[in-house]
Amino acid sequence: MKKKIWYLIYIAVVLLMVMIPFAGMTVAATNETTENKELAEMPKLKSDGKWNVGYLGELGGYFEEHFAFRQELVAANAVLKGALLGVSASDQVIMGKDDWLYYTGTMDDYLGENLMSEKGLYNAVYNLTLMQQYIESRGSKFILTIAPNKNSVYGSNMPSTYLRGDENNHSRLAPLLGQAGIHYVDLYHIFENSHECLYLHGDSHWNNKGALLVCRRLLDALGKEYDASAYSSYEIRREHTGDLAEMLYSVAVQPEDNVYYDRIPIYAYVNDVEDEEADWIETINPNGQGTLLIYRDSFGNSMLPFLANEFEHGYFSRLIPYNLGNLDQYRPEYVIVERVERRLSFFAEQPPVMEGPIRILDNLTAAATDTTMSIREDGSWYVVEGILDPNYTDRDTGIYVSVRTDSGTSVTYEAFRTSHREAGGWNDDGYKLYLRGTSVPEGTVHIDIIIENGNTQVLAKTEDFTR
């Protein structure tokens, strides 16, 4: 009898524990998360007058993300797994040695897996070359820099179960940038040669001291003078909560040390800015010199205060694709492109918004190819894009788009080469060209796609377009 009572008590306790997350949703539903995703919405039983056959499955997914005390329970699970088993409870975070955390999205680079093809690397360099030429033709100084993945420069604390690959996208791309004459500023040696830790343990980014060293390296490359003693005074405070730690531990995250400089910011925001995560930020500093335009990602957040203090006008963009129309609008003396290592394929996938340079071609011959083409309107631009016949392309292929009228006039533009992921890997035979609306005459025009290999120029595709 006593044994039966204990069974009943055990079942009651288990049922109570199971019911708490469900019953608690009426007063403490989870509607916010520290995870890098959007929470599921409450499914509808009927939609457009039809029954939702997937309602129960969607309802289960909704409960999984909204049950009461979810963040607290997730945090407790993460802490217990980390303390007892030394493993991460999040598929986005890798738990390393000595409390170091790494972002799972960097693993392909670390392991040397799923890398860009050789043609894809050349596409990236090709596009950066056109971009640099365009920026410098506007009178601006241009530099490109790559923010290292955390485990690329601090890999000693990675779990020993992961074996570092011999090469990755950066190690293969960097020599090509030099060969192409791209003004590339290598940041890797700053971190590899420093005796200090310049990245944060629980964050995927560098700390404030690392950000300062990076900014000074970039200013040196631009030939921009600065006061080297301006940030000599600082203190270390345990106030920073890392993005990886927040993803893993949620509400149980503990702050870590970061460097905080005593210098008072002398710049001001021009537009409404909540924080450095904003997609577009404008700064002004009457004591600064020159105008800076920087296309950046989240690594640029901690760089912003240092750079804004040096320039009279600063423009910080996280908008994608890069809009090089900013050059004509703001006329910057200096342009920086900063991109994190794990997203180097971006340069082959997302060409900047700019009209391609005008070229003059001769020795043109026609051929029947499987090249595709589409033309669409995008704001004040026309976008010509498609896939080239792979039988007519190699890593050095040039791509041009010619706009012809019936009167015999024509203008030929050099297009970007693009890559995109497919089920079987990368397709590196894409192309894209932005045309200003004023560059397309009214009426019907003929759009030619021209492929150039060495001295051979092939008319691969022609379509009519009516504006």
Side-chain angles (χ1 to χ4, degrees):
M1 186 67 180
K2 289 183 179 180
K3 194 172 185 181
K4 185 175 181 181
I5 292 175
W6 282 112
Y7 280 149
L8 291 175
I9 293 174
Y10 174 77
I11 293 173
V13 170
V14 171
L15 287 174
L16 180 63
M17 293 177 63
V18 171
M19 287 298 295
I20 287 175
F22 176 75
M25 289 180 68
T26 58
V27 293
T30 300
N31 294 315
E32 296 181 1
T33 180
T34 57
E35 297 172 80
N36 188 23
K37 67 176 183 179
E38 294 184 6
L39 294 178
E41 296 182 358
M42 172 66 83
K44 295 180 180 179
L45 191 58
K46 294 182 71 174
S47 179
D48 297 328
K50 297 181 180 179
W51 291 102
N52 180 5
V53 296
Y55 177 76
L56 291 178
E58 293 174 9
L59 186 63
Y62 176 83
F63 174 74
E64 288 177 6
E65 296 187 356
H66 291 269
F67 63 80
F69 314 113
R70 181 181 188 275
Q71 294 195 71
E72 289 78 5
L73 292 171
V74 167
N77 178 57
V79 171
L80 288 173
K81 276 192 171 182
L84 299 179
L85 304 177
V87 297
S88 171
S90 170
D91 60 3
Q92 298 187 69
V93 181
I94 294 172
M95 180 170 287
K97 305 169 187 175
D98 298 327
D99 296 326
W100 277 67
L101 303 179
Y102 297 92
Y103 181 47
T104 306
T106 63
M107 288 308 297
D108 279 347
D109 289 311
Y110 186 80
L111 299 174
E113 297 178 349
N114 301 314
L115 303 182
M116 298 171 66
S117 70
E118 183 182 31
K119 187 184 287 188
L121 292 171
Y122 275 83
N123 284 356
V125 174
Y126 186 96
N127 294 343
L128 285 166
T129 300
L130 290 183
M131 186 177 181
Q132 177 173 285
Q133 291 173 355
Y134 185 90
I135 291 171
E136 293 183 340
S137 72
R138 296 302 194 270
S140 302
K141 288 186 177 180
F142 168 79
I143 56 174
L144 164 72
T145 196
I146 296 169
N149 293 336
K150 183 175 174 179
N151 51 16
S152 290
V153 289
Y154 294 104
S156 59
N157 286 304
M158 280 286 290
S160 56
T161 52
Y162 296 104
L163 298 179
R164 190 167 188 167
D166 294 330
E167 61 179 10
N168 56 25
N169 286 333
H170 173 258
S171 67
R172 297 161 67 223
L173 180 66
L176 301 181
L177 295 174
Q179 294 170 18
I182 303 296
H183 304 319
Y184 169 58
V185 180
D186 188 344
L187 301 180
Y188 287 71
H189 71 280
I190 291 178
F191 302 100
E192 292 168 349
N193 296 335
S194 176
H195 298 296
E196 298 181 274
C197 179
L198 300 175
Y199 272 59
L200 295 153
H201 286 206
D203 203 294
S204 56
H205 304 88
W206 45 53
N207 61 24
N208 289 335
K209 179 170 281 192
L212 176 61
L213 293 178
V214 166
C215 289
R216 287 179 168 173
R217 177 69 185 90
L218 298 180
L219 293 172
D220 287 337
L222 291 171
K224 180 78 166 60
E225 295 184 357
Y226 58 87
D227 182 0
S229 64
Y231 298 95
S232 57
S233 178
Y234 64 87
E235 61 179 335
I236 297 175
R237 302 198 298 266
R238 184 156 292 187
E239 297 181 359
H240 183 88
T241 54
D243 56 355
L244 300 176
E246 288 181 345
M247 281 191 282
L248 181 59
Y249 297 120
S250 184
V251 294
V253 63
Q254 296 295 316
E256 65 175 297
D257 292 343
N258 201 353
V259 174
Y260 295 89
Y261 292 93
D262 295 336
R263 187 183 186 190
I264 299 175
I266 52 179
Y267 67 91
Y269 292 123
V270 176
N271 58 327
D272 292 331
V273 177
E274 292 186 3
D275 54 41
E276 287 82 4
E277 290 280 351
D279 288 339
W280 179 261
I281 298 175
E282 298 181 25
T283 63
I284 187 170
N285 173 16
N287 298 319
Q289 298 291 325
T291 299
L292 169 71
L293 171 62
I294 175 171
Y295 299 98
R296 50 98 184 197
D297 53 27
S298 58
F299 274 83
N301 293 355
S302 56
M303 296 165 59
L304 188 149
F306 303 117
L307 293 176
N309 267 348
E310 299 298 330
F311 295 91
E312 181 178 7
H313 297 284
Y315 301 97
F316 301 80
S317 177
R318 290 188 65 174
L319 299 171
I320 293 174
Y322 300 153
N323 180 9
L324 296 194
N326 298 144
L327 298 171
D328 295 326
Q329 183 174 0
Y330 301 110
R331 302 188 180 280
E333 289 104 314
Y334 309 96
V335 176
I336 298 173
V337 170
E338 175 270 315
R339 200 74 186 163
V340 64
E341 177 188 343
R342 67 183 178 84
R343 290 291 290 117
L344 291 185
S345 62
F346 167 85
F347 295 118
E349 296 173 289
Q350 289 268 17
V353 179
M354 55 166 266
E355 192 165 75
I358 296 175
R359 307 299 192 200
I360 298 176
L361 303 180
D362 49 21
N363 300 324
L364 188 63
T365 59
T369 77
D370 291 330
T371 296
T372 67
M373 183 204 314
S374 68
I375 307 168
R376 59 184 171 86
E377 193 171 357
D378 185 3
S380 60
W381 298 87
Y382 288 101
V383 182
V384 183
E385 58 189 342
I387 304 294
L388 302 173
D389 187 330
N391 294 316
Y392 289 82
T393 65
D394 60 31
R395 70 183 193 184
D396 297 315
T397 296
I399 307 168
Y400 306 89
V401 178
S402 181
V403 181
R404 293 185 293 115
T405 65
D406 288 332
S407 63
T409 61
S410 68
V411 182
T412 301
Y413 305 86
E414 188 168 4
F416 289 104
R417 292 165 25 176
T418 61
S419 301
H420 64 274
R421 290 184 185 272
E422 294 182 341
W426 285 93
N427 184 320
D428 301 303
D429 294 314
Y431 66 91
K432 177 178 283 189
L433 174 73
Y434 289 93
L435 285 171
R436 292 189 179 90
T438 54
S439 297
V440 181
E442 293 185 359
T444 300
V445 295
H446 313 289
I447 308 294
D448 300 327
I449 306 301
I450 301 167
I451 301 173
E452 182 180 55
N453 291 300
N455 295 322
T456 302
Q457 299 163 0
V458 175
L459 176 59
K461 181 77 173 179
T462 297
E463 284 192 9
D464 293 341
F465 176 73
T466 301
R467 178 183 172 189

